[in-house]
C-alpha cells in the first residue's frame, strides 16, 4: 500500500513542482506518465524517500516517511522498497548471486540462498548466478534487476523507465515478470514511463 498527499518539491532556483495525490492498494500496478521535465523522476524519488518533500507526506505500509530519521529511512527502504532503473546498477565486481545476497544483508535479513536461487531460476537466470552482471545481455540484466528489487518482498516496487532500453519481446517479458512478481509478494508496482507499449496494457495511470 502506497499513498501520497499534497507532495511538492523545489530544486534550488527552480519552480515549485506540485504532484497529484496517489492511493495505490497492495497488488496494484500503476503507470506514472508525463512529458519530459514534468517531474516523474522527482516524484518517484519523493515516493521512495530518496528526497524530502517541501510539503506533503508519503505513507508506505502504514509508515509516514516524514517520521523516519535518515538511518531509519535507509533501513525502512531496504525492507519495504524495491527499485528498478532504466539500466541496471549492480556491484560490478560481484556475481549476480552475491549482488542479491548483499541486498538481503543491507535490509538486515539473513542471506537466504534457496530464495536467491529460486528467484533466479524463475526469472530464467538459473545458469547466470555466478556470472558478473556486466557479462549479461541487457534483457538478462533487467531481469536480474527485477530479482534484486523483489528479493526482500517489498511493499512497493518503483520502476523508472524499466523498458526503454529493451526491444518489444523483452519489454513484454519484463513487464509480465514484474507484474507477476509484484503480485506474488502483493507489492504495489509504480512504473514511470514514456513507453507507449505500456500505456495500452496497464489501465491504472496517473498523469503529471
Ligand atoms: N538535480 C536537479 N537540479 C535542478 N533541477 C532539476 C534537477 N533534476 C530535475 N530538475 C528539474 O526538475 C524538473 C523535473 O525533472 P524530472 O527529472 O523529475 O522530470 P521527468 O518527468 O522525470 O523528465 P524525463 O522524462 O525527461 O526524465 C525539470 O524541470 C528539471 O529540469
Amino acid at each position: 500500500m502506497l499513498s501520497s498527499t499534497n507532495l511538492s518539491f523545489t530544486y534550488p532556483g527552480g519552480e515549485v513542482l506540485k504532484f497529484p495525490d496517489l492511493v495505490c492498494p497492495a497488488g496494484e500496478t500503476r503507470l506514472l506518465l508525463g512529458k519530459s521535465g514534468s517531474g516523474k523522476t522527482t516524484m518517484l524519488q519523493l515516493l521512495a524517500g530518496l528526497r524530502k518533500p517541501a510539503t506533503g507526506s508519503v505513507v508506505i505500509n502504514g509508515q509516514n516517511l516524514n517520521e523516519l530519521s535518515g538511518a531509519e529511512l535507509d533501513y525502512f527502504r531496504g525492507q519495504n522498497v524495491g527499485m528498478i532503473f532504466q539500466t541496471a546498477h549492480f556491484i560490478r565486481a560481484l556475481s549476480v548471486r552475491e549482488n542479491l545476497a548483499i541486498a538481503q544483508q543491507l535490509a538486515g535479513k539473513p542471506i537466504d540462498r534457496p530464495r536467491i536461487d529460486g528467484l533466479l531460476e524463475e526469472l530464467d537466470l538459473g545458469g547466470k548466478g555466478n556470472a558478473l552482471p556486466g557479462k549479461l545481455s541487457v534483457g538478462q540484466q533487467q531481469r536480474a534487476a527485477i530479482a534484486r528489487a523483489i528479493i526482500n518482498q517489498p511493499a512497493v516496487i518503483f520502476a523508472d523507465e524499466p523498458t526503454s532500453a529493451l526491444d518489444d519481446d523483452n519489454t513484454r517479458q519484463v513487464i509480465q515478470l514484474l507484474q507477476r512478481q509484484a503480485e506474488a509478494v502483493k507489492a504495489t508496482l509504480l512504473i514511470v514511463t514514456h513507453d507507449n507499449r505500456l500505456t495500452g496494457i496497464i489501465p491504472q495511470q496517473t498523469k503529471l
Side-chain angles (χ1 to χ4, degrees), residues 11-12 14 17 19 34-43 45 51 160-161 192 194 208:
Y11 288 102
L17 298 167
F19 300 100
K35 60 182 184 346
S36 177
S38 60
K40 301 181 297 296
T41 297
T42 306
M43 184 169 184
Q45 291 169 341
R51 290 187 186 277
D160 196 355
E161 303 277 5
V192 164
H194 278 117
L208 296 192

